[in-house]
C-alpha cells in the first residue's frame, strides 16, 4: 500500500491526541511525498521517448504500524501505542468483563 508522507503527519497528530496509532492497522505502507511525485511527473512529461512507460512513484521501503509509531516517537518524544497493543488490550479487557479467558491470537 502506498501512503502520502503528508498523511503520516495527520495520522501522527491524531495518534498523539489519542495515544494510539489508528488507521491502516497492520498494513505495511510505502511513504512518498506529494512534491516528489509532482516533480517526477513534471520531469517525465517534459522528457522525450517515455510513451507507454509505467512508473511506480513510491518508496522501496514499506513501514509497519509499529515502525510508524516508532518514527512518531523518535520525532516527537511521545510514543503512541501501535494497533496490536490496542487489540490485545481490548480482547483482554472484554474477556475479563465476560468472565472468560482472553482468546489466543492467531498470529501469536
Amino acid at each position: 500500500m502506498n501512503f502520502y508522507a503528508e498523511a503520516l503527519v495527520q495520522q501522527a497528530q491524531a495518534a498523539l491526541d489519542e495515544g494510539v496509532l489508528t488507521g491502516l492497522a497492520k498494513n505495511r505502507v510505502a511513504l512518498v511525498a506529494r512534491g516528489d511525485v509532482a516533480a517526477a511527473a513534471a520531469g517525465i512529461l517534459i522528457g522525450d521517448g517515455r510513451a507507454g512507460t509505467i512508473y511506480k512513484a513510491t518508496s522501496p521501503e514499506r513501514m509497519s504500524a509499529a515502525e510508524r509509531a516508532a518514527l512518531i516517537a523518535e520525532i516527537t518524544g511521545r510514543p503512541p501505542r501501535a494497533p496490536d497493543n490496542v487489540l490485545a488490550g481490548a480482547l483482554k479487557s472484554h474477556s475479563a468483563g465476560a468472565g472468560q479467558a482472553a482468546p489466543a491470537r492467531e498470529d501469536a
Side-chain angles (χ1 to χ4, degrees):
M1 171 184 284
N2 297 325
F3 196 65
Y4 283 119
E6 294 84 354
L8 180 63
V9 173
Q10 294 171 337
Q11 187 182 35
Q13 289 169 337
L16 293 173
D17 289 345
E18 299 294 324
V20 176
L21 181 63
T22 59
L24 303 179
K26 291 184 181 182
N27 294 335
R28 296 184 71 80
V29 298
L31 298 173
V32 63
R34 288 182 179 125
D36 290 346
V37 173
I44 292 165
L45 290 172
I46 62 172
D48 294 326
R50 303 279 187 222
T53 303
I54 297 173
Y55 296 91
K56 292 183 180 182
T58 188
S59 168
E61 181 181 343
R62 296 176 353 150
M63 298 177 73
S64 68
E67 290 166 331
R68 292 189 306 274
L71 179 63
I72 292 167
E74 180 182 330
I75 292 169
T76 66
R78 295 174 52 201
R81 292 178 298 154
D84 282 345
N85 297 340
V86 175
L87 176 61
L91 288 174
K92 183 177 179 180
S93 174
H94 175 72
S95 296
Q100 301 173 357
R105 289 183 29 203
E106 292 181 8
D107 62 332

